[in-house]
Amino acid sequence: MAPMYAGEPRCPTIVTSISPSSGTVIFDIIDGMAICNIRLFTEDFFFRQTISLNIDRTEMYYWTNVDKNSEISSKLATELALAYKKNRNYDKAYLFYKELLQKTPNNVDCLEACAEMQVCRGQEKDALRMYEKILQLEADNLA
């Protein structure tokens, strides 16, 4: 690498990676003189950024490359469900909430979200069954 002189502009290089063990997004900033390693937020931040750029590619990545038994798969499925709900694509949001329920079938938050998506999809009878299950799990829950 050519030496840098005082007053010469620096053009840093940024290398992004994800730590497989923790899911932490890592930015290595290389400016010719030193390497600065910055760990930014968690995978949730990375997932939201990725989804906002291209939700269809992120979904395809989820179905084809993510180990469904990993903790990261649950987090990505949650972010995809929320994004599809925000975009009013209730069918896809429901699909991802159901995916989450496969791992934790008695998760009241997921059951509530699924029931809400069922109502939005015009499936009130199915939603009613989910709300009844919620009441069986938490009798004082008035979702």
Side-chain angles (χ1 to χ4, degrees):
M1 177 187 282
M4 296 181 67
Y5 300 100
E8 187 176 308
R10 292 183 177 179
C11 184
T13 302
I14 300 174
V15 179
T16 308
S17 60
I18 301 175
S19 167
S21 59
S22 68
T24 304
V25 179
I26 302 168
F27 292 91
D28 291 322
I29 302 174
I30 306 165
D31 71 0
M33 299 294 279
I35 297 176
C36 177
N37 185 271
I38 302 170
R39 295 180 186 276
L40 247 191
F41 307 106
T42 64
E43 65 275 355
D44 297 345
F45 171 79
F46 180 73
F47 292 155
R48 276 188 228 107
Q49 291 296 98
T50 304
I51 290 167
S52 71
L53 292 173
N54 191 326
I55 195 167
D56 294 324
R57 288 184 73 184
T58 305
E59 179 185 356
M60 182 60 67
Y61 180 82
Y62 174 83
W63 293 121
T64 59
N65 294 310
V66 175
D67 175 10
K68 303 308 178 279
N69 295 318
S70 69
E71 183 181 334
I72 288 177
S73 77
S74 295
K75 291 180 179 185
L76 182 54
T78 300
E79 292 299 326
L80 283 162
L82 292 169
Y84 278 124
K85 178 181 173 183
K86 182 179 176 184
N87 291 342
R88 297 181 181 203
N89 187 335
Y90 303 121
D91 292 330
K92 292 265 183 137
Y94 175 75
L95 176 74
F96 281 101
Y97 285 124
K98 287 294 281 186
E99 181 80 4
L100 290 165
L101 280 175
Q102 287 182 1
K103 291 182 180 186
T104 55
N106 294 328
N107 182 314
V108 172
D109 293 331
C110 284
L111 285 165
E112 284 182 47
C114 270
E116 180 185 357
M117 293 305 97
Q118 287 292 62
V119 170
C120 293
R121 298 170 67 219
Q123 305 291 321
E124 290 84 5
K125 288 182 182 180
D126 293 330
L128 182 59
R129 282 193 286 276
M130 287 189 179
Y131 285 124
E132 288 170 348
K133 183 172 180 177
I134 292 168
L135 288 174
Q136 287 174 356
L137 294 169
E138 291 184 5
D140 60 340
N141 190 323
L142 300 175

